[in-house]
Amino acid sequence: MKNILVINAGSSSLKYQLFDMDTEQVLSKGLAERIGISSSALNHRGKKEIRIVKDMRDHNDAIHMVLDALVDPEVGVLKDLSEIAAVGHRVVHGGETFSASQLIDENVLEAIEENVPLAPLHNPANIMGIKACMAAMPGVPQVAVFDTAFHQTMPPRAYIYGVPYEAYETYKVRRYGFHGTSHLFVSQRAIELLGHPEHSKIVTCHLGNGSSIAAVQDGKSIDTSMGMTPLEGVVMGTRSGDIDPAIVKFIMDKEHMSIQEADSYFNKRSGVYGISGVSSDFRDIADAAQENNARAELALDVFAYHVKKYIGSYAAAMGGLDCVVFTAGIGENDSAMRARILENMEWIGIEMDPWENDKRGEHEITKPGSKVRVFVIPTNEELVIARDTLRLIPKA
Ligand code: ADP
């Protein structure tokens, strides 16, 4: 039996899934929340579902609670921790150092540390998760899977910004892109569904709380909407997405904001939440729009327009388009938003089938014979991490 534990450590949370890789089934999953804050708790689903409220001072405490739950006779799914073959970690920023997943050793850990300036909130949490697992499970191989790695195939014309080149040379200011595991997973599945053509031009739309679009040509990412940070690209739940950079100074002046306040303004108070004034959740916004809330309707309209523009621009970048994929919370579930995005795109060869669009799960939503095919493909970032981990660990 090959069991792989997948860890996604945030600054105050730690999500996990345990896979049996013989069947790729999830044996157990859960979330440790409010780590290092008061009233921390572990929500665990194994043989049973439980919530344990207990102080977790740091990620070490959290990992120990997770491992205890996994081998607990009542709620666990393992007899012994030795049944875990390896641990796969989601790491947000691999910078330019990593273009693929890595078996973690001292050098890899050091390189992840070197990339902390590029993701000051995320990478330190990921490092804490890795170190805690190494301490709790000595000798068990650990693998790092980077959100940025899939996009390292972008050519310079896609990743260089129009700022002094020294900013790139000195500080590594460039486009990196995120959601790489998701874009990789759904684009590979789309290539399968297309029948493994020799060449393929695919636009993958990962639309969730954070959203990003990628242009995937012949299986490789050649451009993506998120940038050096996840703030760039389409308008998101609470992030502004693409704006005129001069707006930052303008708002800071007008509202007498510090840099931290401005950061929060564009990351947490903007997006469809900022436009609608209702919520960052598309279900709430759609409900409000139904009740004739004009700003909610506007927020949906702006979002759909941004996604449509990216699809069109990436078709231009690739010199054609074979397929569009929708995934993540909105992409998989919000058929009305998909229809809004694809409206009037017959000119590019997309003929949507409204009947198919209303179905759920993995399916095609274009009519037979549509020149460009559109698929809904549920993403599974944890499974990609587990597969990569299995691939990289020494064979038993
Ligand atoms: P994250 O980026 O946090 O992983 P998800 O991919 O889970 O986010 O997407 C979350 C978003 O998906 C929610 O904010 C919500 O707007 C949207 N969503 C989820 N289910 C539905 C649904 N049935 N209809 C419309 N929107 C949905």
Side-chain angles (χ1 to χ4, degrees):
M1 189 163 41
K2 276 263 188 288
N3 294 323
I4 304 270
L5 179 62
V6 173
I7 298 285
N8 183 352
S11 54
S12 65
S13 71
L14 189 144
K15 284 191 231 161
Y16 61 96
Q17 286 195 19
L18 182 71
F19 286 88
D20 170 355
M21 293 308 287
D22 290 335
T23 56
E24 295 194 336
Q25 293 298 306
V26 177
L27 302 175
S28 179
K29 64 195 277 191
L31 165 71
E33 55 188 356
R34 300 181 62 81
I35 301 167
I37 314 174
S38 60
S39 55
S40 39
L42 177 73
N43 300 292
H44 170 85
R45 192 193 302 167
K47 247 187 274 168
K48 278 190 206 159
E49 227 173 300
I50 49 156
R51 179 176 165 84
I52 310 170
V53 179
K54 191 177 161 198
D55 248 16
M56 287 179 258
R57 283 161 303 172
D58 53 25
H59 286 68
N60 270 315
D61 283 357
I63 284 288
H64 280 286
M65 263 185 90
V66 170
L67 297 179
D68 286 348
L70 288 173
V71 294
D72 185 276
E74 291 270 304
V75 298
V77 290
L78 300 175
K79 283 205 188 71
D80 192 279
L81 285 183
S82 63
E83 291 171 40
I84 299 177
V87 184
H89 296 267
R90 173 185 181 221
V91 179
V92 167
H93 221 303
E96 285 191 318
T97 330
F98 301 109
S99 55
S101 304
Q102 296 289 324
L103 193 61
I104 300 173
D105 58 16
E106 280 307 313
N107 292 337
V108 171
L109 208 50
E110 224 169 83
I112 299 172
E113 302 237 17
E114 276 163 21
N115 285 316
V116 163
L118 294 171
L121 295 181
H122 291 100
N123 274 25
N126 302 150
I127 292 166
M128 280 192 282
I130 293 169
K131 286 189 170 163
C133 282
M134 286 174 132
M137 289 178 273
V140 175
Q142 316 273 328
V143 169
V145 178
F146 302 93
D147 261 26
T148 48
F150 180 55
H151 301 301
Q152 277 296 302
T153 44
M154 282 187 290
R157 64 174 179 222
Y159 70 70
I160 288 295
Y161 289 119
V163 297
Y165 195 73
E166 292 72 23
Y168 168 58
E169 290 180 314
T170 316
Y171 308 117
K172 298 282 170 226
V173 170
R174 53 159 283 182
R175 178 184 310 285
Y176 292 96
F178 298 87
H179 294 139
T181 46
S182 179
H183 290 294
L184 170 66
F185 181 82
V186 299
S187 61
Q188 281 185 343
R189 181 69 189 131
I191 290 169
E192 274 172 33
L193 293 171
L194 291 172
H196 296 283
E198 196 187 340
H199 296 291
S200 54
K201 294 168 178 169
I202 302 174
V203 173
T204 47
C205 306
H206 177 110
L207 310 179
N209 263 322
S211 294
S212 71
I213 322 285
V216 183
Q217 187 161 5
D218 299 339
K220 292 199 171 98
S221 172
I222 62 129
D223 204 350
T224 189
S225 60
M226 280 181 171
M228 180 168 118
T229 77
L231 188 53
E232 193 183 349
V234 295
V235 66
M236 303 177 213
T238 60
R239 297 187 194 124
S240 65
D242 300 330
I243 56 168
D244 178 345
I247 295 171
V248 178
K249 179 178 178 296
F250 183 87
I251 293 287
M252 284 176 77
D253 281 349
K254 292 281 178 206
E255 304 248 326
H256 311 291
M257 276 180 194
S258 66
I259 290 176
Q260 278 74 21
E261 285 165 339
D263 196 52
S264 161
Y265 183 91
F266 292 104
N267 273 292
K268 301 203 171 119
R269 288 160 57 197
S270 296
V272 291
Y273 167 74
I275 298 172
S276 69
V278 172
S279 166
S280 64
D281 191 305
F282 277 66
R283 287 162 289 199
D284 300 335
I285 303 172
D287 287 348
Q290 280 279 323
E291 285 158 20
N292 298 321
N293 180 323
R295 272 172 55 189
E297 174 61 28
L298 178 63
L300 298 176
D301 208 23
V302 171
F303 180 81
Y305 184 64
H306 280 201
V307 178
K308 186 193 285 282
K309 281 206 297 187
Y310 268 102
I311 295 172
S313 65
Y314 286 163
M318 292 188 287
L321 182 66
D322 298 315
C323 171
V324 176
V325 180
F326 287 104
T327 194
I330 300 159
E332 289 168 31
N333 298 304
D334 194 341
S335 56
M337 180 50 72
R338 292 196 298 258
R340 211 187 261 255
I341 292 165
L342 297 178
E343 205 181 343
N344 293 327
M345 290 194 80
E346 292 77 14
W347 65 273
I348 206 170
I350 295 176
E351 281 192 70
M352 205 191 68
D353 183 332
W355 179 256
E356 293 297 327
N357 186 37
D358 276 339
K359 293 185 183 165
R360 302 187 68 81
E362 180 183 287
H363 63 294
E364 178 166 359
I365 62 172
T366 30
K367 292 180 181 159
S370 176
K371 193 168 133 295
V372 174
R373 298 174 72 186
V374 181
F375 300 120
V376 174
I377 301 178
T379 192
N380 195 336
E381 293 167 271
E382 288 77 14
L383 182 58
V384 177
I385 295 173
R387 282 180 183 164
D388 257 17
T389 303
L390 184 64
R391 189 172 55 81
L392 286 175
I393 58 174
K395 300 284 166 279

